[in-house]
């Protein structure tokens, strides 16, 4: 069951979740040029040979460009082919709250095509408030019992009341620890930061590749700066430029879409794991284990952690075997009355703080706990695998930081420079999100639907057709004439 715990930590530091107020941010903005940058060695905790790092100074508040400034830390994996170099490809790994300095090296490890490496300097970014970019802190500690970005499964009213109390406490912590920067941690400001980075790098235009929450940031960037964005790839889509309650609830839809792939895999290996001879039997085993762990923990993990661990295991089919082993352990081990894991680690305070700042600042969330209680009842029936988790209440319901601006509106007027890549079966961002993003961008975009399973298409998935389509777009500017399927 250590596998489940590690999955919780890994996923919750980089998952993306997506109305309440009407988006109205101006479509095109002008950002003052930041000071020039110089490349140096990266911080010691960025263990990625070949990367250089630099800082870019930007306004904390872009409405007050001569006021307080903050430093953003970026990394660069430079193209080694000057004849083929096109420009810079800025990256975002998701979250919000995921550090991005090592992302260029990570994509190389995952096999990003050499043509892309020749065409671009890959630019990793710790977005504002994250890691080495003027980090913020809500002061989230283990004793609060916060379980991270994805709320825990509310298996009964007592569990909901427990999460409701935790959500309120976390929101109060964030307000108490705010030094005045928290309200400026927004998707709109992160998009402005991207244009500042582009200018600091001396580029007339900037290209962008964003995964998960990065799709929201990329959509905001393309919408606010249509004239200075080059080629934009939105991979595994939230469906808008911001995260909201309805977007979080689509996690349950995504798990229902993707779980059959794991169930079919496990059923084909029933002789090894004994989880069921058919996908339906495997699905029933899921509920058997969850019910067992709701009444007692195994290796310190309860039913809520089991459900979340299974959800995260669907991110990548490479996780299926470890998940099946953990299921087998849960079946074979008598439940314990020992306390289950209550939080992930206070070391993730910075990650959770940025996640909450962006999510709660971008859009108003419902304030009435009864709204969430009703949603749990609805989604528990509609999406029994995970609905009572993704519909649960979050700290945004009690957010005390004043909103600085509405969410960014997706801008459909502009160049056809947005490629939307989406697996048919994605536990975090279901296909319907990609379709919604396509509808918002209209003729500015093309939707690439990939017959695959998991979270992340380009360099992270296994579909050669999809890799070729995205590479052709990034390298040669080849846009599919119509929406495409791989």
């Amino acid at each position: 069951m250590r596998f489940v715990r590690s999955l919780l930590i890994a996923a919750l530091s980089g998952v993306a979740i997506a109305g309440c107020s009407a988006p109205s941010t101006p479509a095109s903005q002008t950002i003052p040029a930041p000071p020039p940058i110089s490349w140096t060695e990266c911080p010691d905790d960025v263990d990625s040979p070949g990367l250089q790092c630099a800082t870019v100074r930007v306004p904390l508040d872009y409405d007050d460009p001569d006021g307080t400034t903050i430093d953003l830390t970026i990394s660069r994996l430079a193209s080694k082919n000057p004849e083929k170099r096109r420009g810079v490809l800025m990256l975002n790994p998701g979250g919000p709250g995921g550090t991005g300095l090592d992302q260029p090296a990570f994509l190389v490890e995952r096999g990003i095509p050499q043509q892309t490496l020749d065409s671009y300097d890959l630019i990793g970014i710790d977005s504002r408030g994250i890691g080495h970019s003027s980090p913020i802190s809500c002061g989230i500690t283990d004793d609060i019992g916060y379980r991270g970005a994805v709320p825990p499964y509310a298996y009964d009213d007592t569990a909901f009341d427990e999460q409701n109390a935790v959500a309120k406490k976390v929101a109060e912590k964030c307000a108490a620890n705010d030094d005045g920067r928290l309200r400026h941690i927004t998707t709109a400001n992160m998009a402005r930061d991207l244009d500042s980075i582009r200018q600091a790098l001396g580029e007339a235009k900037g290209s962008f590749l964003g995964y998960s929450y990065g799709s929201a940031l990329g959509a905001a960037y393309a919408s606010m700066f249509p004239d200075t964005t080059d080629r934009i790839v939105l991979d595994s889509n939230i469906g808008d430029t911001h995260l909201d309650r309805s977007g979080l609830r689509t996690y349950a839809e995504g798990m229902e879409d993707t779980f059959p792939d794991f169930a079919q895999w496990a059923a084909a290996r029933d002789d090894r794991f004994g989880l069921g001879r058919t996908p339906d039997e495997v699905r029933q085993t899921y509920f058997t284990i969850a019910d067992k762990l709701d009444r007692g923990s195994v290796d310190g993990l309860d039913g809520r952690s089991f459900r979340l661990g299974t959800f995260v295991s669907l991110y990548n089919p490479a996780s299926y075997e470890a998940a099946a082993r953990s299921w087998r352990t849960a079946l074979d081990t008598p439940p314990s009355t020992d306390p289950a894991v209550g939080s992930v680690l206070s070391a993730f305070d910075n990650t959770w703080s940025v996640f909450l700042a962006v999510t709660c600042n971008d859009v108003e969330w419902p304030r009435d706990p009864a709204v969430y209680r009703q949603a749990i009842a609805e989604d528990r029936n509609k999406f029994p695998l995970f609905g009572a988790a993704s519909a649960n209440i979050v700290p945004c319901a009690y957010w005390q930081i004043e909103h600085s601006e509405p969410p960014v509106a997706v801008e459909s007027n502009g160049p056809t420079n947005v490629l939307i890549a989406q697996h048919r079966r994605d536990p975090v961002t279901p296909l319907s999100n990609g379709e919604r993003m396509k509808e918002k961008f209209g003729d500015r975009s093309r939707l690439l639907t990939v017959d695959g399973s998991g979270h992340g298409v380009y360099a992270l998935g296994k579909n050669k057709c999809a890799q070729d389509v995205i590479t052709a777009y990034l390298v040669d500017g080849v846009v599919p004439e119509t929406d495409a399927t791989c």
Side-chain angles (χ1 to χ4, degrees):
M1 295 294 282
R2 292 188 184 92
F3 161 74
V4 177
R5 185 182 288 110
S6 66
L7 280 177
L8 305 188
I9 294 174
L12 292 183
S13 62
V15 296
I17 312 180
C20 294
S21 46
S24 60
T25 299
S28 183
Q29 301 196 353
T30 301
I31 299 299
I37 64 173
S38 58
W39 296 102
T40 62
E41 292 185 359
C42 290
D44 291 341
D45 60 349
V46 182
D47 185 19
S48 298
L51 293 184
Q52 299 171 298
C53 286
T55 58
V56 179
R57 183 158 295 176
V58 301
L60 173 65
D61 181 356
Y62 279 92
D63 287 336
D64 184 17
D66 297 322
T68 302
T69 60
I70 57 175
D71 286 336
L72 307 178
T73 300
I74 67 175
S75 65
R76 177 179 70 171
L77 182 65
S79 167
K80 297 179 180 179
N81 195 329
E83 293 183 358
K84 293 185 177 180
R85 182 188 182 278
R86 176 179 179 82
V88 295
L89 181 63
M90 295 180 284
L91 309 171
N92 185 277
T99 179
L101 291 184
D102 61 353
Q103 194 179 11
F106 171 74
L107 290 178
V108 170
E109 291 175 1
R110 295 305 298 263
I112 190 170
Q114 185 62 45
Q115 304 100 296
T116 305
L117 298 175
D118 289 340
S119 298
Y120 295 97
D121 295 346
L122 299 190
I123 305 298
I125 303 168
D126 271 1
S127 301
R128 62 169 54 205
I130 296 169
H132 294 278
S133 293
S134 304
I136 62 169
S137 170
C138 281
I140 298 172
T141 52
D142 288 343
D143 60 289
I144 297 175
Y146 184 57
R147 288 174 174 251
V150 182
Y153 189 91
Y155 47 79
D156 60 17
D157 286 343
T158 299
F160 173 79
D161 291 340
E162 175 188 316
Q163 172 63 9
N164 187 36
V166 169
K168 186 172 186 293
K169 189 180 299 183
V170 170
E172 291 170 347
K173 269 281 194 180
C174 290
N177 285 277
D178 180 28
D179 60 2
R181 290 182 294 153
L182 215 59
R183 69 190 297 264
H184 300 291
I185 309 297
T186 65
T187 298
N189 278 334
M190 289 179 177
R192 296 179 181 110
D193 291 343
L194 289 175
D195 198 64
S196 293
I197 292 168
R198 172 195 64 80
Q199 293 186 68
L201 293 172
E203 300 288 336
K205 292 190 175 184
S207 294
F208 179 84
L209 167 62
Y211 297 86
S212 199
Y213 165 75
S215 70
L217 177 57
Y221 180 44
S223 296
M224 296 170 69
F225 302 98
D227 297 330
T228 55
T229 49
D230 190 14
R231 295 170 183 171
I232 306 295
V233 177
L234 310 181
D235 191 320
S236 305
N237 290 258
I238 289 176
D240 212 320
T241 64
H242 58 276
L243 318 177
D244 62 18
R245 173 171 165 264
S246 63
L248 179 55
R249 290 174 73 178
T250 65
Y251 281 22
E253 175 189 345
M255 187 166 181
E256 294 286 349
D257 288 347
T258 312
F259 184 84
D261 286 5
F262 169 75
Q264 184 174 8
W265 180 93
R269 293 160 179 80
D270 184 58
D271 58 333
R272 291 179 57 197
F273 302 111
L275 303 179
R277 293 169 295 177
T278 67
D280 286 344
E281 289 182 0
V282 174
R283 183 181 175 92
Q284 185 54 51
T285 299
Y286 170 88
F287 292 114
T288 298
I289 295 173
D291 180 65
K292 173 183 177 179
L293 295 180
D294 285 342
R295 294 177 282 106
S297 64
V298 170
D299 193 22
L301 293 171
D302 60 10
R304 293 174 292 187
S305 299
F306 167 74
R307 291 178 176 92
L308 180 56
T310 299
F311 168 73
V312 172
S313 73
L314 302 179
Y315 276 41
N316 191 326
S319 301
Y320 288 179
E321 179 154 352
R325 292 184 185 279
S326 75
W327 281 35
R328 190 66 257 167
T329 299
L331 285 169
D332 294 341
T333 306
S336 169
T337 57
D338 293 339
V341 176
S343 59
V344 178
L345 280 178
S346 58
F348 283 81
D349 169 52
N350 178 230
T351 295
W352 308 146
S353 299
V354 174
F355 173 84
L356 290 169
V358 175
T359 305
C360 305
N361 285 340
D362 276 357
V363 65
E364 293 275 5
W365 285 62
R367 294 284 182 171
D368 185 356
V371 172
Y372 298 89
R373 195 186 296 271
Q374 177 62 32
I376 289 170
E378 294 172 357
D379 288 7
R380 179 185 286 114
N381 291 327
K382 189 175 182 180
F383 305 115
L385 290 171
F386 206 57
S390 59
N392 206 353
I393 195 166
V394 295
C396 296
Y398 294 100
W399 199 241
Q400 300 177 26
I401 309 302
E402 180 184 1
H403 285 72
S404 59
E405 61 182 320
V408 179
V410 174
E411 180 55 65
S412 60
N413 293 320
T416 303
N417 66 340
V418 179
L419 181 60
I420 299 166
Q422 187 68 51
H423 276 142
R424 286 192 180 277
R425 300 175 299 283
D426 183 323
V428 191
T429 55
L431 176 59
S432 58
N433 286 1
E435 294 170 340
R436 185 159 55 250
M437 189 72 90
K438 163 61 185 173
E439 181 180 358
K440 290 176 180 294
F441 270 114
D443 291 339
R444 282 196 68 186
S445 66
R446 297 290 185 269
L447 173 62
L448 174 63
T449 303
V450 183
D451 187 15
S453 185
H455 193 50
V457 175
Y458 192 51
L460 307 183
K462 300 296 185 182
N463 189 299
K464 184 179 184 302
C465 166
Q467 310 310 310
D468 290 346
V469 170
I470 298 171
T471 300
Y473 172 59
L474 287 173
V475 174
D476 299 317
V478 178
V479 180
E481 292 185 5
T482 61
D483 293 345
T485 300
C486 282

